[in-house]
Amino acid sequence: MPQPFPILASMLGTALLLNLLPALPTRAQASDTPPSPYHTSWKVDAPVTVAGTALSYWGLTILNNKKGLTEAQALALQKSDVPSFDRFAAGNYNQSANQTSNYPFYLSFGLAPVLIAIDPAMRGHRGQAALLYFETMSVVGAAFTQTAGRTFRNRPLTYGADVPIREKTRRNTENSFFAGHTASASAAAFCFAKLYNDYHPDSRARPWVWAGAAAIPAAVGYYRLEAGKHFLSDNLIGYAVGAIIGVGVPQLHKVAAQHNIGLHPAAFPNGAAGVALTWKPRS
C-alpha cells in the first residue's frame, strides 16, 4: 500500500466536510447560539491556510525529486554511524507494523471533522472550527514537507542486513527526519482535543479527550518505529511539532488571547507581504 501524503489526506477530508455543511459562519447567527471561544478572519486565516497549502505542495515536489540511495550506498551503511540514542532501532523492518500504523493515522484525521459536524456546541460555528482545523493541517503539512524535503536522514530499515535491497533504495528512504505520519496525526488529534476543550470548558470528559488525543499519535509513532520508517528521535520531534501546531493554531485564535498574541497581515522591509505573529503583554 503506497504511503499517503498526510496533508493531502487531511485537506481532502476537510474539503468534503466544508461542502457538506450548509453554511460557513464565523460568528453566532442566532440568539440562542452561545458565543464562539475563537475569533477568525478570512483576511488573515485564508491567506495563512493557502500559504501553508502552497508550501506543502512545494515541499512534496522537493520530496518527489529526491533520488534515494544507490545500491552501493545502501550496502555501505553501518549501524555504528547512527547516534547512540537511536541505534537500537537501526535495522528495524516490519511490513505488518507499517500497515498497522495506518489505522490510528487515518483515525486521527476523522476526529475533528466528526466533532465539528455533530457537536451541538458548535452550532453556528462549524465553518469557523473547520477553518481552524484546515489551517492547522496546512501548517503542519508545510512544516513536515519543507523539513523532510531538505533533510537527508536514512530510515532505520536501510541499516538492516536482511532488508531487501529494493526497499533500501526507494526514493523515500532518506525521509526519516522528521516523522510526517506522527506529526500529522499529532496535529489532527490535538486540534480535536483543543476544539473540544474550548467548546466544553466544564466537561468532565476533557481529561479523557486529551488522553485519547495523546495516545493516537503515540501509537502511530510506535508502529512507524517498529516498521523501520523512523528513529525514536524522528518520532519524538514529529509528535512535539504536531502537538504544538495542533494546540497552538486554535489557541492563537482564542478570544481571551486576542489582546496578547495573534496573527496579522504584515509588510516586510524588502517589500514582500506576509503574516506576522505578534505578542503584547497585558497592561
Side-chain angles (χ1 to χ4, degrees):
M1 179 178 180
Q3 281 191 349
F5 289 115
I7 182 61
L8 296 182
S10 62
M11 286 183 174
L12 176 60
T14 309
L16 291 174
L17 171 65
L18 292 175
N19 288 328
L20 290 173
L21 294 175
L24 297 178
T26 59
R27 299 286 182 98
Q29 293 183 340
S31 59
D32 62 342
T33 302
S36 170
Y38 303 111
H39 171 78
T40 55
S41 169
W42 285 103
K43 293 181 180 180
V44 175
D45 295 298
V48 170
T49 304
V50 170
T53 305
L55 287 170
S56 298
Y57 179 79
W58 180 21
L60 288 176
T61 63
I62 298 173
L63 284 170
N64 287 333
N65 287 331
K66 281 188 172 182
K67 299 183 182 300
L69 297 172
T70 65
E71 184 172 339
Q73 290 172 327
L75 294 175
L77 293 176
Q78 301 291 327
K79 291 184 180 182
S80 58
D81 297 332
V82 179
S84 58
F85 53 82
D86 274 334
R87 198 171 297 157
F88 74 94
N92 281 6
Y93 178 66
N94 188 320
Q95 291 180 310
S96 176
N98 184 40
Q99 294 294 328
T100 303
S101 71
N102 287 323
Y103 297 119
F105 174 70
Y106 286 121
L107 172 64
S108 68
F109 292 150
L111 295 174
V114 170
L115 176 70
I116 293 167
I118 69 174
D119 189 354
M122 294 187 182
R123 184 175 65 249
H125 310 297
R126 289 190 172 94
Q128 182 186 59
L131 176 62
L132 290 175
Y133 176 63
F134 204 174
E135 186 173 344
T136 296
M137 298 313 296
S138 71
V139 172
V140 76
F144 159 61
T145 58
Q146 291 293 327
T147 301
R150 291 171 168 77
T151 305
F152 295 83
R153 189 185 195 194
N154 300 321
R155 295 190 187 275
L157 63 84
T158 59
Y159 296 89
D162 299 326
V163 178
I165 192 63
R166 67 178 182 277
E167 294 293 334
K168 296 183 178 185
T169 55
R170 291 185 184 275
R171 183 179 297 178
N172 66 6
T173 51
E174 294 178 299
N175 296 351
S176 191
F177 183 84
F178 53 85
H181 279 61
T182 306
S184 297
S186 181
F190 277 98
C191 181
F192 154 76
K194 177 63 173 170
L195 291 174
Y196 184 89
N197 182 88
D198 291 344
Y199 275 100
H200 300 274
D202 300 320
S203 173
R204 294 183 178 180
R206 289 192 305 165
W208 297 103
V209 170
W210 283 108
I216 289 173
V220 174
Y222 170 78
Y223 285 113
R224 298 293 284 175
L225 178 70
E226 288 295 304
K229 296 295 185 179
H230 299 288
F231 291 101
L232 177 61
S233 61
D234 303 323
N235 279 303
L236 291 176
I237 293 173
Y239 189 104
V241 169
I244 291 170
I245 293 173
V247 173
V249 170
Q251 180 61 28
L252 288 175
H253 294 82
K254 280 290 293 290
V255 172
Q258 291 299 304
H259 299 296
N260 289 78
I261 191 167
L263 293 170
H264 306 280
F268 297 96
N270 62 0
V275 178
L277 176 67
T278 61
W279 178 80
K280 297 179 181 179
R282 290 190 184 274
S283 58

